[in-house]
Every structure is written in C-alpha cells, then in structure tokens.
Amino acid sequence: MEFQDVVRTRRMHRKFTAEPVPSEAVDRITRNAVRAPSAGFSQGWAFVVLETPEDRDRFWAASTPDTSERDMSAWLDGMRTAPVVVLALASKAAYLRRYAEKDKGWEDLDESRWPVPFWHVDVGMASLLMLQTAVDEGLGACFFGVPPAHVPAVRAELGIPEEFEITGVVAVGHPADGGAKGSPTRRRRKPLDEVVHRGGW
C-alpha cells in the first residue's frame, strides 16, 4: 500500500472478526514499532503481545472497571473481539540512565531537565507505527489506555516489571462492522489553516 493511502485510511477500529491475525503480521507490527525514533537512542520501550484467548481474557479481566461513569459496554463488547492485544510500555529510568552517560553530558538522573516525558512520546510514536503497519497488512487497529485504577491489576496479572509504565494498548485484528462509534462521527476534522501556522502563530 502507498504510504499516503496508509495515512489516509488509518482509523481506530473497535470491532473485529474472528479471523486470526497471521503471526507474520504480528511480527512485522512489532518489528516496525522498534524502528520508531527514541531520544538518545534510549529505546526504553517494551511490548507485551497477547495472542491467546486465555492471555487476552486475563488482560480484559484485570483492566475492565466493574462500573463506569459512562456506559462502556458497546466499546468493550467490540474491543474484546480483537485477536491480538499489544501493551506498549515505557521505561523512564532507561531515559534517565541514558542521559547520565558521558556522551550526553548530564551526571545525574534529574528528571526536571526533560521538557516533556519523552519516554511516553517515543512509545507513542512506536504505537503509531504499529497502527500504520496494521493498515499496511490489511488489518485494523485501535490505540487505547488502561484506566489508572486498574494499572496495578494489569501489571500484576501480566508480570510487568516496576520500571515500566503502560503508555497504551494496541488492539489488532480484521475489522468488522459495528462496534462503538468514535469521536470522528461526532466531530469534524479541523482544517489545516486552523492548526498550521507558518513563520509564527
């Protein structure tokens, strides 16, 4: 697929068919993720790939609130059909250690020097590459987060080391009709002249 077609057709899919995702596609999705840029080539990311029904059930049981301020049942019913779930993790410590090395010039692990948490920025870019690769594979995908109150349960259930935080989750599969409607059905895409400012604001 041409790159512009990948960008143009990428969207968040929230329901999937029962057709399995080929292991070669999963390998390509994760292989492309680690081609994302990372500050100082820190590569402070890790990915937990869940492909069996048992592993996916463990994730959904640990990450799903019993109650919610809004009805999430349609979203959950669709998302739970994804045959592949990839947790994208970030290690802040890896970045702090990397920038304390001689070629970076800092001598301590002071987090205050960072203008934004690049560990999450970089894992976000890796996640976008997973979303785009899914499109190129003829698949659909959706990026979402784990509710903060459920992060400890997910960490414990999947054995995620303390050093890593969950930036987000990518669900992958063959798109199916239906599923929860996304925000683009309720909001327009902003035109370029509203968001692109040339030469200054």
Side-chain angles (χ1 to χ4, degrees), residues 26-50:
V26 178
D27 291 344
R28 185 166 175 246
I29 286 168
T30 53
R31 192 167 56 246
N32 283 358
V34 300
R35 299 296 301 181
S38 67
F41 209 41
S42 300
Q43 305 171 80
W45 45 46
F47 305 92
V48 177
V49 181
L50 308 175

Side-chain angles (χ1 to χ4, degrees), residues 48-91:
V48 177
V49 181
L50 308 175
E51 298 176 87
T52 68
E54 295 77 18
D55 286 340
R56 295 191 308 270
D57 288 347
R58 290 167 54 217
F59 166 75
W60 288 115
S63 66
T64 304
D66 295 326
T67 59
S68 176
E69 293 179 7
R70 59 191 179 116
D71 183 8
M72 299 293 291
S73 57
W75 185 87
L76 285 167
D77 288 347
M79 293 302 293
R80 285 180 174 150
T81 62
V84 178
V85 173
V86 183
L87 280 75
L89 313 176
S91 167

